[in-house]
Amino acid sequence: MELDDELCLCFHVTKRKVVNFIRIRKPVKASQLSECFGAGTGCGWCRPFLQRLLEQSAQQIEQPDDGLPDTDAYASGRQQHRKNKGLT
């Protein structure tokens, strides 16, 4: 996933916005990332990925292999997630 790809697809929050939010605001809990334009408060698909970015930040990894899938696989996984939750 590139920095300008959307991480929270419900609220169109990019990975760059989340990374900068973590760097500047230094949240201690993943739930605090919701203050970043509502990230993680929609369908919930991005929450594990938000948690991963927060954990990597806590470990002070300069160029993390964020473990996020590419954009197409990410969107496809979210679509399946929403279907499983009955949100589509």
Side-chain angles (χ1 to χ4, degrees):
M1 177 174 278
E2 301 297 323
L3 282 174
D4 291 322
D5 291 339
E6 289 183 356
L7 182 60
C8 177
L9 298 173
C10 293
F11 295 104
H12 309 288
V13 182
T14 64
K15 178 182 172 187
R16 181 182 306 274
K17 287 179 183 176
V18 173
V19 168
N20 285 334
F21 181 87
I22 291 170
R23 182 178 52 83
I24 294 166
R25 300 283 296 272
K26 302 187 185 334
V28 294
K29 297 186 289 188
S31 62
Q32 292 173 302
L33 294 176
S34 67
E35 297 171 21
C36 180
F37 302 97
T41 63
C43 74
W45 167 249
C46 63
R47 289 179 194 151
F49 303 104
L50 293 169
Q51 177 71 38
R52 187 174 304 149
L53 289 176
L54 184 60
E55 288 169 357
Q56 289 172 347
S57 172
Q59 296 170 4
Q60 298 179 344
I61 299 172
E62 292 275 328
Q63 292 292 330
D65 172 19
D66 58 23
L68 298 175
D70 66 41
T71 305
D72 293 333
Y74 188 80
S76 176
R78 177 183 178 258
Q79 185 176 23
Q80 185 62 43
H81 170 78
R82 290 181 50 85
K83 183 179 178 182
N84 291 344
K85 288 186 78 172
L87 298 174
T88 57

